[in-house]
């Protein structure tokens, strides 16, 4: 079992930046991919970005490409999401996910989930 804990959410004005963190613990040797998904009110949880835990390859959704950057600190078992040029439509609960295979671009592939962190972007 892998445990995931997110941090770094908050309220920011449009055009601002936030950095999310996700710390993994437990059976971290089983992780092949980690990623971020988000869920806005009344909408389904959608893919944002993911990273190959061993090799560093990344994926981004079209809606965040060029504005968000995913990274990881392998030694600290921690993943980050740097979010720049935030827009009101980025408002959602952001969830960290881990998977035992790559790629991780659909929520059905995730084996573990964090509790979520709220990101609110005001206009």
């Amino acid at each position: 079992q892998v445990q995931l804990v997110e941090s770094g959410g908050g309220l920011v004005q449009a055009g601002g930046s936030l950095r999310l963190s996700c710390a993994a613990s437990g059976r971290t040797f089983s992780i092949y991919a980690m990623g971020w998904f988000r869920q806005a009110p009344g909408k389904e949880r959608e893919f944002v970005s993911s990273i190959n835990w061993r090799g560093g390859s990344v994926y981004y959704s079209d809606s965040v490409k060029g504005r968000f950057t995913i990274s990881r600190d392998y030694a600290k078992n921690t993943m980050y999401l740097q979010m720049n040029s935030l827009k009101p439509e980025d408002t959602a609960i952001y969830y960290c996910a881990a998977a035992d295979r790559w790629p991780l671009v659909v929520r059905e592939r995730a084996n573990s989930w964090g509790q979520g962190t709220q990101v609110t972007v005001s206009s």
Side-chain angles (χ1 to χ4, degrees):
Q1 189 79 356
V2 174
Q3 291 78 44
L4 303 172
V5 178
E6 304 101 331
S7 61
L11 173 64
V12 65
Q13 288 189 332
S17 299
L18 282 174
R19 189 175 84 151
L20 306 182
S21 300
C22 175
S25 61
R27 297 171 59 89
T28 56
F29 60 85
S30 67
I31 297 174
Y32 272 79
M34 289 187 69
W36 294 96
F37 291 74
R38 67 186 182 187
Q39 188 165 17
K43 295 189 176 181
E44 292 190 351
R45 191 171 300 188
E46 65 173 6
F47 169 76
V48 175
S49 180
S50 62
I51 186 165
N52 183 298
W53 199 241
R54 315 294 173 92
S57 299
V58 300
Y59 280 111
Y60 295 100
S61 68
D62 289 341
S63 61
V64 307
K65 199 173 296 182
R67 300 187 298 121
F68 292 9
T69 303
I70 193 170
S71 62
R72 85 226 192 279
D73 186 326
Y74 192 79
K76 294 182 178 180
N77 289 321
T78 301
M79 174 180 64
Y80 305 97
L81 185 68
Q82 178 66 43
M83 305 186 294
N84 298 329
S85 302
L86 282 161
K87 305 175 181 180
E89 50 264 43
D90 294 317
T91 296
I93 299 174
Y94 283 70
Y95 294 92
C96 171
D100 58 6
R101 48 185 172 159
W102 175 255
L104 173 60
V105 292
V106 293
R107 60 181 185 270
E108 290 79 9
R109 276 209 168 179
N111 305 114
S112 301
W113 292 95
Q115 81 286 355
T117 186
Q118 177 71 47
V119 171
T120 303
V121 184
S122 63
S123 58

